[in-house]
Amino acid sequence: MPAFESAIGGIAWSIIETAGKAGKYVVQQGKGAYNDVQHEQRVLEASEAYIQHYLNRHCQIKIMPGLMKAPLDLNSIYTDVKLLDDRSVGRFAGIQELEEGFRAKGSRGFGAGEAERVRGIEVANRERYLTVLGGPGIGKSTFLRKIGLEALKREGDIQRECIPVFLELKKFKDKTVNIQQEIVKELDICKFPSTEALVESALGQGKLLVLFDGLDEVPVSNLNTVIERIEDFVDKHSQNSFVASCRVAAYRSSFRRFVDVTIAEFDDEQIEQFIYRWFGSQEDEELGIAEKYLALLNQPEHKATKELAQTPLLLTFLCLLYDRKQMLPSKRSTLYGQALDIILNEWSAQKRIDRDPIHERLNPDLEKILLAEIAYESFSQDQLFFSKETITDRIADFLSDTLENPKYLNADAVLTAIEVQQGILVERATDAYSFSHLTLQEYLTALHIVENQLEGNLVLEHLTDESWREVFLLTSGLMNNRASQLLIMMEQQAPDYIRPYEKVKALVQWAAVNRAGESKLYQRAAMLAIASVSDSVIVRSRASTSDSDIASTSDSASTIASAIVRSSNRAIARTSDSAIVIASVRTRAIASTISRASTISRAIASTRARASARAITSASDIAIASDSVNSHHFLNAQSMEAIADKLSDHKNVILESTTSSEKWRHRADQLQHIWLEALELDRDAITFSNEEAKALRSYLYATELLIRCKESAIRIPLSEWKALEARLLTI
């Protein structure tokens, strides 16, 4: 309590002042029953009890009891809420506009993107009437509790003298709702003298801050009555302050006086703040737990997982998981399944909302199948946003094909229930819907594929479509013991991309040759990475737009091949093996040098010329680093030594800025020749057309995705994987 001593003084003074002006306390307690000093002492004691009651009742956060062992203090865990005004919601955007806007953002989130965000507590301090909207688990109740907490403090962020009263609207089940009596009950718990007189006086002087939490949690049968009572109460006591919260999906008509704002999903800054607060103990700080977790969450492979962290409820879930094991589950299909179950089951159960049942047989398991079907059909049509008519038609078709006598079951009601209760489907604009998270849509799509054994269609139609990448990974995880079947289908499909192109097939065969012994997957990938870089170098020496496209495709092929190197041999131990990896990665220094030399014009600055010389030196370093390579005949000690000798003749020769373009191109040709000669390749062998370059990229992408799917699978028998691995990048 010491931290709230000033708060006790603040609320007590407000109450004493209110009571004094009203002149009702002494009268109602009986004249001469006790003096003013005794009266003030009783008010101080009741004020202290009220603050303690508020802290105990409303400022202890505990959700998901199965995971969270003890509650957390609101003040220690609270992360600043950011609000969007109603203009940021885009209520009148069309489906096509939403699709184009999402793809233009280049990020996975469906949120408001670059819309202006305002610190929530500042808005609450400024506005006397406020409605806070948001989806399930976004932090509406927590925000209202925080507003009340700040109002209790003498120098809190709510800078007006008032008494906060937190009312949970889900308790308003009686048709005879009396809001003033509910306020009296809250204060009477702490034994204020003559509570009814106090409340009447406080309302008359505008001293109350009434927090109406959870309009969407009011029983449907009583909702209209509660709305009418609140509006009448606000009109009658308009000098006071009021904040209400409601899920967006359930908010059909605004309170006349209230300003509507929407809680934004967490951005990176808020996610970081939350994690630092969560792992804020002295022990956690000494161990750097927050830093380690943030580093893990920001890794590319956890990009989809971080998307879930934009919702505070799911971020809490992710922190609880990491707190247990200091790692995220290795199989994200398991992780996303748990997150979906929290939304479908546990969160709604904990809220204990008394709702009218939609249909006794439309249980969470059946609902999951329905959502998976909707997710798959939309994803297959490349739709992330869909109309209300489309989704209700799909719901109606599903119900008529699943349940007996579904005639009385209204598809609109089912959609509303899913939207309000779980928030998995969200109305992004008027009659335009999407899933709450792209991650959940991908998971449900994968679930539908596995349940209906559509893996063959998935591979045939979407193997090189990068928008389906996460679906492939999740499908592999959900297939359990059948995952090897998916990998085999992918392995059989990949060569089809290069089969029509003899030159590309020849390059793959070249990379697979190893006169020193059996060629390993990471060695084959390393050679293709090096060759792909060389390919992009050559096409860059031309000036046409189409050549630029080829160069870009070749660059991405090299990047994918390098990724295969890393993923197919993560535990490289021998120096000779690691040298191949070094060579495959650092070859880009040579490529960069050649590229600069081939494009520099007469006006090139002298600093660029010096940079070119430094890059040549880096190329010599590659040769030295790879000197011990003897396991692959293209990158053996003799060839690396030859490269080093030839490059050393060039690294001290710096062309002047006035040197002609022809001489710069000649320098590029010399460097290309040195490198290709060492690889036993000629220019024609790796000078591809646009179609050939794209085919190579598709082939490498499919192979890399296959390896990632193997990592995402629950189990792949070792014998099956070894046989499959031996066939990859061979033709």
Side-chain angles (χ1 to χ4, degrees):
M1 186 58 69
F4 277 85
E5 285 178 355
S6 61
I8 295 167
I11 190 174
W13 175 253
S14 178
I15 292 170
I16 292 169
E17 182 185 39
T18 299
K21 287 181 178 178
K24 294 182 177 180
Y25 271 92
V26 175
V27 173
Q28 293 198 7
Q29 287 293 334
K31 201 167 186 179
Y34 57 90
N35 58 35
D36 290 346
V37 174
Q38 292 172 324
H39 169 69
E40 290 189 7
Q41 182 60 37
R42 291 183 64 185
V43 172
L44 282 170
E45 290 172 357
S47 298
E48 181 174 345
Y50 186 77
I51 290 177
Q52 192 60 56
H53 171 74
Y54 192 94
L55 293 174
N56 294 340
R57 179 82 179 253
H58 305 303
C59 298
Q60 298 296 306
I61 307 299
K62 186 177 182 181
I63 57 177
M64 292 172 284
L67 289 174
M68 185 179 282
K69 296 178 181 178
L72 295 172
D73 178 66
L74 170 66
N75 221 28
S76 67
I77 198 65
Y78 179 78
T79 298
D80 284 341
V81 164
K82 295 180 182 179
L83 301 178
L84 306 169
D85 63 31
D86 193 51
R87 293 169 295 179
S88 303
V89 179
R91 300 297 302 169
F92 303 105
I95 300 290
Q96 187 63 31
E97 185 180 350
L98 290 170
E99 290 278 1
E100 292 173 355
F102 172 80
R103 298 177 199 282
K105 281 195 308 182
S107 63
R108 291 180 53 87
F110 286 132
E114 300 302 318
E116 183 179 357
R117 299 174 178 222
V118 183
R119 186 168 176 255
I121 208 73
E122 293 177 2
V123 177
N125 187 52
R126 183 176 69 238
E127 301 293 343
R128 187 172 289 275
Y129 313 107
L130 191 66
T131 303
V132 179
L133 305 173
I138 199 68
K140 303 180 295 299
S141 295
T142 302
F143 181 45
L144 261 64
R145 294 165 195 265
K146 176 65 172 177
I147 292 172
L149 185 62
E150 291 301 315
L152 288 175
K153 302 176 184 178
R154 185 188 290 275
E155 297 180 358
D157 285 334
I158 300 301
Q159 297 167 357
R160 53 180 175 266
E161 203 170 76
C162 58
I163 306 166
V165 182
F166 191 91
L167 300 179
E168 295 178 289
L169 295 182
K170 66 183 179 182
K171 297 179 180 178
F172 286 22
K173 301 177 181 180
D174 197 324
K175 288 290 184 181
T176 58
V177 176
N178 189 321
I179 294 174
Q180 185 162 331
Q181 281 304 308
E182 294 298 326
I183 296 173
V184 169
K185 288 179 186 177
E186 282 294 306
L187 294 176
D188 204 36
I189 292 172
C190 302
K191 302 187 183 305
F192 281 103
S194 190
T195 311
E196 290 190 6
L198 168 62
V199 170
E200 184 69 34
S201 176
L203 286 169
Q205 297 178 50
K207 292 285 188 175
L208 288 189
L209 167 60
V210 186
L211 305 164
F212 297 110
D213 183 47
L215 183 62
D216 54 282
E217 298 176 19
V218 175
V220 175
S221 60
N222 207 31
L223 181 59
N224 289 335
T225 300
V226 170
I227 291 174
E228 290 175 6
R229 295 290 189 274
I230 290 176
E231 290 205 313
D232 291 345
F233 188 79
V234 171
D235 288 342
K236 183 177 179 180
H237 304 288
S238 59
Q239 289 179 289
N240 297 272
S241 300
F242 303 92
V243 183
S245 72
C246 185
R247 293 185 181 183
V248 174
Y251 195 58
R252 297 308 179 198
S253 61
S254 59
F255 293 125
R256 291 188 298 272
R257 293 174 177 267
F258 285 47
V259 174
D260 295 344
V261 292
T262 304
I263 295 185
E265 292 181 328
F266 273 5
D267 55 23
D268 286 350
E269 179 185 10
Q270 290 169 294
I271 292 172
E272 182 174 331
Q273 184 187 80
F274 185 96
I275 289 173
Y276 271 104
R277 287 179 176 273
W278 185 279
F279 298 105
S281 69
Q282 182 177 349
E283 181 182 3
D284 285 341
E285 289 181 358
E286 290 173 354
L287 295 173
I289 300 299
E291 290 84 354
K292 293 176 183 176
Y293 184 37
L294 279 167
L296 178 67
L297 205 56
N298 285 318
Q299 291 177 2
E301 58 263 37
H302 292 302
K303 189 174 182 179
T305 302
K306 188 176 179 181
E307 178 197 334
L308 296 178
Q310 295 170 347
T311 300
L313 170 66
L314 296 179
L315 178 54
T316 300
F317 163 66
L318 293 173
C319 286
L320 283 166
L321 288 183
Y322 188 78
D323 208 2
R324 276 186 165 189
K325 299 182 178 180
Q326 301 300 296
M327 61 181 292
L328 289 173
S330 57
K331 309 305 177 187
R332 55 188 142 187
S333 57
T334 303
L335 174 65
Y336 300 164
Q338 290 174 334
L340 182 62
D341 286 341
I342 285 173
I343 298 171
L344 285 174
N345 300 311
E346 190 165 352
W347 180 240
S348 293
Q350 286 183 47
K351 297 290 280 185
R352 292 185 175 88
I353 302 170
D354 182 16
R355 297 190 181 92
D356 296 332
I358 306 168
H359 192 289
E360 64 273 11
R361 290 183 57 198
L362 192 59
N363 54 58
D365 290 335
L366 192 59
E367 184 182 347
K368 191 184 297 186
I369 296 173
L370 166 63
L371 290 169
E373 186 174 299
I374 293 171
Y376 176 78
E377 290 177 359
S378 301
F379 218 80
S380 297
Q381 296 171 17
D382 197 25
Q383 289 181 334
L384 299 180
F385 300 88
F386 27 82
S387 68
K388 182 176 182 178
E389 181 181 6
T390 297
I391 197 168
T392 51
D393 285 348
R394 289 174 180 170
I395 292 173
D397 289 344
F398 177 87
L399 295 174
S400 64
D401 192 46
T402 305
L403 302 177
E404 295 179 2
N405 301 319
K407 295 179 181 179
Y408 64 90
L409 188 55
N410 187 295
D412 282 340
V414 174
L415 172 59
T416 299
I418 293 172
E419 184 185 7
V420 173
Q421 293 177 25
Q422 287 99 19
I424 295 176
L425 293 173
V426 177
E427 188 178 23
R428 300 295 180 182
T430 303
D431 291 339
Y433 287 78
S434 78
F435 282 84
S436 59
H437 298 81
L438 178 56
T439 296
L440 293 181
Q441 184 174 5
E442 290 166 334
Y443 174 82
L444 288 163
T445 299
L447 184 64
H448 182 82
I449 289 169
V450 174
E451 292 288 336
N452 294 275
Q453 298 189 8
L454 299 174
E455 298 88 1
N457 291 349
L458 175 67
V459 172
L460 186 63
E461 298 173 10
H462 304 293
L463 182 54
T464 59
D465 186 344
E466 293 188 39
S467 66
W468 284 75
R469 182 180 180 88
E470 195 69 23
V471 175
F472 270 90
L473 299 175
L474 293 168
T475 299
S476 178
L478 290 169
M479 288 181 72
N480 296 322
N481 283 335
R482 295 194 300 114
S484 57
Q485 298 175 21
L486 175 66
L487 303 192
I488 291 171
M489 284 187 280
M490 295 171 71
E491 181 254 334
Q492 293 173 343
Q493 176 69 23
D496 286 352
Y497 299 118
I498 63 171
R499 214 176 298 280
Y501 305 103
E502 293 299 326
K503 191 181 291 186
V504 180
K505 289 194 296 182
L507 182 65
V508 172
Q509 291 168 344
W510 165 86
V513 173
N514 187 353
R515 296 168 191 159
E518 180 185 359
S519 179
K520 298 178 181 177
L521 175 58
Y522 74 89
Q523 293 173 326
R524 300 192 291 272
M527 300 313 298
L528 285 171
I530 293 170
S532 298
V533 170
S534 302
D535 169 30
S536 67
V537 167
I538 291 177
V539 295
R540 276 204 188 97
S541 67
R542 304 167 183 172
S544 70
T545 303
S546 61
D547 286 335
S548 174
D549 293 339
I550 299 171
S552 175
T553 303
S554 300
D555 264 352
S556 60
S558 177
T559 300
I560 295 168
S562 296
I564 296 174
V565 174
R566 292 189 295 270
S567 61
S568 62
N569 195 25
R570 296 183 181 276
I572 298 173
R574 301 194 312 276
T575 305
S576 59
D577 288 343
S578 61
I580 287 183
V581 181
I582 292 171
S584 70
V585 176
R586 297 186 65 189
T587 296
R588 289 184 174 276
I590 298 175
S592 178
T593 302
I594 300 172
S595 178
R596 280 198 293 270
S598 66
T599 57
I600 291 175
S601 66
R602 291 176 180 271
I604 187 170
S606 59
T607 53
R608 186 71 65 86
R610 287 194 293 273
S612 180
R614 285 195 298 271
I616 294 174
T617 302
S618 296
S620 299
D621 292 340
I622 291 178
I624 295 170
S626 304
D627 183 63
S628 60
V629 176
N630 56 23
S631 62
H632 198 288
H633 79 282
F634 292 121
L635 288 178
N636 54 40
Q638 183 178 358
S639 62
M640 288 294 102
E641 185 176 355
I643 292 176
D645 290 341
K646 292 177 180 179
L647 289 177
S648 65
D649 295 335
H650 290 270
K651 69 179 182 179
N652 294 321
V653 179
I654 300 177
L655 298 181
E656 299 295 332
S657 59
T658 56
T659 302
S660 67
S661 298
E662 289 75 14
K663 288 187 177 181
W664 277 105
R665 291 195 183 95
H666 179 67
R667 168 62 66 85
D669 289 340
Q670 288 178 313
L671 295 173
Q672 289 168 0
H673 179 73
I674 292 170
W675 188 242
L676 294 176
E677 186 178 58
L679 297 174
E680 300 181 16
L681 290 170
D682 58 44
R683 290 170 61 94
D684 183 64
I686 57 172
T687 304
F688 295 149
S689 67
N690 197 23
E691 290 76 15
E692 290 170 329
K694 287 183 177 179
L696 175 60
R697 186 199 179 282
S698 295
Y699 175 66
L700 291 173
Y701 176 82
T703 304
E704 187 266 341
L705 179 57
L706 185 157
I707 295 170
R708 297 297 185 189
C709 285
K710 184 257 184 182
E711 296 170 355
S712 297
I714 301 297
R715 177 178 181 267
I716 300 291
L718 188 59
S719 58
E720 292 184 20
W721 172 246
K722 285 188 175 296
L724 193 152
E725 184 182 34
R727 299 193 299 268
L728 297 178
L729 300 185
T730 64
I731 193 166

